[in-house]
Amino acid sequence: MAVLWQNEIRSASTLKGNIFTVPWKVCRDAAKGTDISPREAELWACENGICPSRYERSIGTIGLEGQARLLSSHVAVIGCGGLGGWIVEILARAGVGKLAVVDGDMFGDNNLNRQALCTEENIGLSKAVAAGERALALNGAVEVDVWDQFMTGDNANAILEGCDVVMDALDSNRARSVLVSACRELDIPLIHGAIGGFWGQSCVIMPDDRAPWEMTGGSDKGIEETTGNPPFTPVFIASIQAAEAIRLITGIGEPLRDLLWCDLKEHEYLKIRI
């Protein structure tokens, strides 16, 4: 026999096109006063053929099963600046069930040109805290762990434990090396992204793959030290990274294990076999 909160969701659903849809707020209200979370209420709906209305425009692409997988997933975003802020924005809207947002840095004036989370009012405040607040403002069903600290070899395992996918939104190869080592130890796919000027790159690094910076060596920082980063490059590469996370979690297509290199000035795009 269905319990009361399940009956509330089922009775409020209506057939829209070829799927049953329920207002997302019904799921939220149904969870109140029970021992289930809003995320669990939305997950139950998806698993029982009912789409919470907030995901209605995603279902044609990923299906109810894919949405259920997203709601069941746990993703860590390491770095909440240029790339990370946009990644948090997309994954929260997509309905990734649990996010760990990690950054020990604070916003500065020069973040205003490109970082989704940076405003004139929060200069000097924590990037990780802003990421957590933004995720919850976008989607109250998302469960967020805020790590207001930099990832190190000492805390990496605690941060990443239980994650299905990890997002590399870092700005140095030294920090990335710590991250990729932890992902290998915990057997977690890592989605890499890097930007500089008009250029950006992204790929999926499976636990048994070599990372691009391990192949080339080179300096800790890249061309961004000279070019800086305009507003559009982080959005572009973060979208690719988020798409790869969603594809991995939902099982749609093959992971992008070749390095995708993008030149937004000349609109040249290359896949480079690592």
Side-chain angles (χ1 to χ4, degrees):
M1 180 183 297
V3 296
L4 181 61
W5 66 268
Q6 294 172 344
N7 282 331
E8 287 181 35
I9 293 173
R10 201 185 296 278
S11 62
S13 67
T14 57
L15 187 62
K16 196 170 183 180
N18 60 352
I19 62 168
F20 281 94
T21 304
V22 65
W24 65 267
K25 202 168 185 304
V26 169
C27 295
R28 190 72 46 84
D29 292 341
K32 289 179 180 176
T34 72
D35 59 355
I36 68 160
S37 66
R39 177 178 66 85
E40 291 171 312
E42 289 190 354
L43 177 59
W44 179 88
C46 290
E47 291 177 337
N48 285 271
I50 303 170
C51 175
S53 57
R54 67 181 310 130
Y55 309 121
E56 182 181 343
R57 287 302 188 96
S58 298
I59 299 307
T61 300
I62 66 172
L64 277 173
E65 182 180 348
Q67 189 61 59
R69 290 182 180 181
L70 286 176
L71 286 163
S72 299
S73 69
H74 183 182
V75 177
V77 182
I78 313 302
C80 298
L83 291 172
W86 294 109
I87 291 170
V88 168
E89 179 89 11
I90 296 168
L91 296 185
R93 289 184 183 278
V96 166
K98 187 170 183 179
L99 288 172
V101 293
V102 186
D103 202 318
D105 199 8
M106 298 177 293
F107 292 114
D109 290 359
N110 66 7
N111 300 148
L112 284 166
N113 81 314
R114 70 197 183 284
Q115 297 193 11
L117 301 172
C118 185
T119 69
E120 294 178 358
E121 287 72 35
N122 67 9
I123 300 298
L125 301 182
S126 164
K127 293 182 179 182
V129 170
E133 291 173 347
R134 179 61 176 169
L136 291 174
L138 292 170
N139 190 342
V142 175
E143 298 168 8
V144 186
D145 289 333
V146 175
W147 296 78
D148 187 11
Q149 56 191 274
F150 293 110
M151 174 172 284
T152 67
D154 293 330
N155 64 17
N157 282 20
I159 292 171
L160 302 182
E161 189 69 44
C163 287
D164 300 296
V165 178
V166 176
M167 312 300 290
D168 163 23
L170 295 165
D171 61 1
S172 78
N173 288 337
R174 184 178 297 110
R176 289 187 180 101
S177 294
V178 172
L179 179 57
V180 76
S181 294
C183 287
R184 284 172 179 152
E185 182 177 341
L186 295 171
D187 197 33
I188 306 172
L190 173 65
I191 302 181
H192 164 65
I195 51 177
F198 280 98
W199 300 280
Q201 63 185 42
S202 182
C203 68
V204 176
I205 304 170
M206 303 303 283
D208 57 347
D209 291 343
R210 295 187 70 183
W213 59 90
E214 293 175 323
M215 302 289 288
T216 60
S219 62
D220 187 40
K221 300 277 189 173
I223 197 171
E224 71 276 5
E225 291 286 276
T226 302
T227 62
N229 283 307
F232 48 83
T233 321
V235 187
F236 185 84
I237 296 299
S239 295
I240 293 171
Q241 290 184 263
E244 285 305 301
I246 291 168
R247 293 198 322 122
L248 270 176
I249 292 164
T250 59
I252 297 173
E254 294 297 319
L256 177 65
R257 294 174 80 169
D258 295 335
L259 181 70
L260 179 63
W261 181 85
C262 309
D263 178 350
L264 298 182
K265 182 180 180 183
E266 303 299 334
H267 285 294
E268 295 179 350
Y269 307 92
L270 302 172
K271 278 186 179 180
I272 303 169
R273 181 66 53 84
I274 301 176

